[in-house]
Amino acid sequence: MTEVLTVTGIGVCGGRAVGRAHRAGPAVAEPDVRPDAVPADDRPAEAARAEAALVAVAEGYESLAATAPAEVAEVITADAMMARDPVLAGGARDGVLSRGLSAEAAVWTAAGELRERLRGLGGYLAERAADLDDVRVRAVCHLRGEPATRARPADGPHILVADDLSPADTAALDLSQVSAFVTERGGPTSHTAILARMLGIPAVVACPGAADIEAGRLIAVHGDTGLVDLRPPADEPVTVPRPRSAEPLSWAGELADGTPVGLLANVEGEPSAVASAGAGGVGLLRTELLFLDRPTAPTRDEQAEVYRRLFRHFPGRRVVVRTWDAGADKPLAFLGFPDEPNPALGVRGYRATPVGSAALDTQLDAIASAAADTDAEVWVMAPMVSTPVEAAEFAAAVRRRGLSPGVMIEVPAAALAADRILAEVDFVSIGTNDLAQYTFAADRLATALAALHDPWQPPLLRLIEMVGAAGAAAGKPVGVCGEAAGDPKLAPVLIGLGVSSLSAAPIALPALATALTGLTLADCRAQARAALGSPS
Ligand code: PEP
Ligand code: MG
């Protein structure tokens, strides 16, 4: 069989990184450790299976070590020695022969017991105890005929390789150690892509073959072309993750003819320097991402503290706070979502936390309290609103708290009713990621449908034009805060369609300013007409 040297997906955040692949994936299901699961006659063969699995794991480590740079090879070789440890093999054999455990259960238990003993010894051996988790996971995967989806704990800079990463998965990761992402699934507007752009690290999504990249392999990721090199030169220096620093943003807030255009930042945590120094403010604060890892609902005071800290970066500037957008690929544990056959079309966004729900009431109170304590100009919008009635209910709840209400336009029904919705609220913001998903009936996580999420698709542009026209008629702002807003070539088109502000990952803002500099509204309209007139 010829060796695969490269795999290719969609590059969603530029740049290049070289590092060890670290697999993130579903945790391996723990084996059933019931005694007497194996009849006495079958135990010798089952014990042999357990021992053979440990040998296979050791061999796997040894082949990884063969191509690794010296310092990494040393660590992997130590793991191979652990997998070959006679105490471990003896413990596993004994578990099968005398307790009747299955091979999986016997390896699992023996490695767990050995790990505890090493921990008790302290020092270097205790530090290596965690590596036994990797050994036992690999052994169990081998026995089950599954790929080793989880590998050695990431103990240094690495390239995260995953089937897909939901924001909930990433909440558990130490992202400061991640120098690039590669995912098998996802698309340009999946949350993995959004996260990568936020962090400004190279990323390739929708990459068939990513699932076969072994943990520990040295790979190079080219975020611009979508190429993943599985055999970079062995002397290639490993990239240490460091947030890419964007150029400073210089934007006067208007086109060459004086038409005001806001360039705002999408924020989901501590704002970067570009966001807090150069941007006109925040066009989308994804609040759900601030509390994803919370098992219980954050209280009003806890939330207010977090919002206050963020608002303080933007005195005198706009901060558009989005209320909980939970559900589908962003389940918030503390909201307890039901199992739905089709969650993207189910109870998500505003539908999950409508006016009157305790979760929304508490959040609005917290936002109002933080806004009152700072000088930021706080606007509040709801995600996934579908009807003018929902918009009216939400607007009333926000106005009662002295804040300015808006809604996101993410559902075609809302775009079609934009004039009526704008009669209820002070502004709208178009979420092109979801609007494309629902306009084309194409799941934004579906790799095969990525072309339908291309924001240049004329039907999507027509919907944006409708919303832009409704905004102009009402004299109210229309923003775009989906990933489309970060495309510098599309920026003049969006402005020409009637959009008044673009909100994107901070790293994308300087290029947007460059793209718009020198253009007038008439130039932008001409570009919009050309794009709308294109058949595809
Ligand atoms: C969108 O749908 O375009 C959007 C900005 O919201 P999210 O990506 O968080 O769903
Ligand atoms: Mg959305």
Side-chain angles (χ1 to χ4, degrees), residues 191 286 322 325 330 348 383-384 408 410 431-435 438 444:
H191 283 99
R286 287 182 164 99
R322 176 171 77 182
D325 183 21
K330 288 182 288 190
R348 55 160 297 199
M384 290 289 297
M408 289 190 74
E410 307 190 90
T432 43
N433 307 334
D434 278 314
L435 190 56
Y438 297 124
R444 66 195 265 187

Side-chain angles (χ1 to χ4, degrees), residues 299-352:
T299 64
R300 172 184 175 281
D301 289 349
E302 276 176 275
Q303 287 185 55
E305 181 51 36
V306 172
Y307 303 145
R308 208 175 284 124
R309 226 183 35 239
L310 282 165
F311 296 170
R312 289 210 169 108
H313 289 273
F314 302 94
R317 283 183 288 161
R318 187 191 319 171
V319 178
V320 182
V321 183
R322 176 171 77 182
T323 53
W324 305 126
D325 183 21
D329 63 334
K330 288 182 288 190
L332 275 183
F334 59 83
L335 290 178
F337 282 91
D339 265 350
E340 291 182 289
N342 198 345
L345 297 182
V347 182
R348 55 160 297 199
Y350 178 75
R351 302 162 182 187

Side-chain angles (χ1 to χ4, degrees), residues 25-111:
V28 166
E30 282 192 28
D32 181 353
V33 292
R34 207 163 15 106
D36 298 326
V38 179
D41 287 353
D42 297 342
R43 288 183 189 178
E46 189 71 0
R49 246 172 44 84
E51 290 182 85
L54 289 169
V55 171
V57 169
E59 287 169 352
Y61 283 132
E62 283 153 3
S63 77
L64 281 173
T67 57
E71 73 283 9
V72 182
E74 207 176 293
V75 178
I76 301 177
T77 305
D79 288 345
M81 284 167 66
M82 250 177 199
R84 288 194 190 276
D85 187 333
V87 177
L88 177 59
R93 191 174 52 242
D94 191 48
V96 178
L97 295 179
S98 57
R99 287 151 69 192
L101 298 177
S102 69
E104 292 158 38
V107 170
W108 190 264
T109 314

